[in-house]
Amino acid sequence: MISLRTLSLSAVDQLGPRSRRCVYWQTDGLDAAAAPGDPQFEKEAWISHVSLEWGACGQIASEGDHAAGAVFYAPPGMVPRAACFPTGPVGADAILLAGMTVESGAPAGVLTALLDSVVVDLRSRGIKAIEAFGVTNENPDPEASRDGCGADACVPPASFLVEHGFTVVADHETYPRLRLDIDSEHQWKADVEHALDKLFAERGIVTRELGVLSGASAMIRSL
């Protein structure tokens, strides 16, 4: 069973090791050879800054007592990496996805559950759109990260975003920018359920159990 909760300053220690150490989005990429002093400290400092200045900037997924993954998001001006992509800038009315991380051994469906919780949170705050940079292949150009992580692990596949209702607003052979308008709750839920149905079909499961999609309080049965 996957459980979700909104990231707060008191919940940082519930992030998994990958999520806590990845600073791909929190560095500017101008000097990829330079190592951050302490990735975990830099990540926590970024979470603290954004949380205090703007509000909740992440969602955490867990399976039982184990971290399963996390997603981070913020206004693009608070995400240093946003300026590095060839398909920027992000729309002025949109919030940017700033990393979706799955921990080792996490169950299927974690990314879908995390994305749902982001949509619910942002809609409740009156935000109308999410944008994200996607990656179109498994071996992207070295849009390198000073923490040794990299675009291949920290940028969601463009195909995943399209399956979940995003549309391409700035095309690129490797790093397209995509957008999801979230003012239509019905359409979003339809997109999520379609993605889950596809996931279950690929695993040979005829039926699925899915509770009401409700963001940080959602519970989705693991496969």
Side-chain angles (χ1 to χ4, degrees):
M1 189 80 74
I2 301 171
S3 62
L4 297 159
R5 64 170 297 177
T6 298
L7 174 64
S8 64
L9 294 177
S10 61
V12 171
D13 60 353
Q14 296 183 25
L15 292 169
R18 287 194 61 203
S19 300
R20 294 191 73 175
R21 292 186 59 82
C22 175
V23 291
Y24 178 82
W25 292 94
Q26 289 73 42
T27 56
D28 57 22
L30 296 179
D31 186 1
D38 182 341
Q40 184 168 305
F41 175 80
E42 288 194 6
K43 187 62 168 281
E44 292 185 13
W46 181 83
I47 293 170
S48 177
H49 170 69
V50 177
S51 297
L52 293 173
E53 293 291 326
W54 178 69
C57 60
Q59 302 289 329
I60 304 172
S62 303
E63 184 185 28
D65 295 331
H66 302 286
V71 60
F72 304 92
Y73 48 96
M78 292 183 164
V79 184
R81 180 68 57 169
C84 298
F85 284 85
T87 47
V90 174
D93 64 337
I95 294 303
L96 177 65
L97 283 184
M100 300 183 74
T101 305
V102 176
E103 300 293 335
S104 177
V110 169
L111 289 182
T112 293
L114 286 168
L115 195 52
D116 167 57
S117 64
V118 174
V119 170
V120 173
D121 176 45
L122 294 181
R123 183 187 292 119
S124 72
R125 294 158 71 173
I127 294 166
K128 300 299 185 182
I130 305 171
E131 292 196 8
F133 295 104
V135 65
T136 60
N137 60 65
E138 296 180 357
N139 297 294
D141 294 333
E143 183 67 39
S145 171
R146 289 185 293 156
D147 65 347
C149 198
D152 58 338
C154 302
V155 181
S159 58
F160 168 82
L161 297 171
V162 170
E163 287 173 359
H164 289 73
F166 283 74
T167 58
V168 176
V169 293
D171 204 2
H172 188 267
E173 61 181 0
T174 304
Y175 295 116
R177 177 165 52 89
L178 301 95
R179 179 181 174 97
L180 176 69
D181 292 306
I182 58 176
D183 55 342
S184 173
E185 179 177 4
H186 173 76
Q187 183 59 46
W188 165 249
K189 289 185 176 180
D191 289 332
V192 171
E193 295 207 4
H194 172 75
L196 286 169
D197 285 335
K198 181 178 179 181
L199 175 65
F200 273 68
E202 290 173 349
R203 294 174 177 269
I205 300 174
V206 178
T207 60
R208 61 178 168 82
E209 294 182 26
L210 178 65
V212 175
L213 298 174
S214 56
S217 62
M219 303 287 283
I220 297 180
R221 189 172 300 279
S222 60
L223 302 183

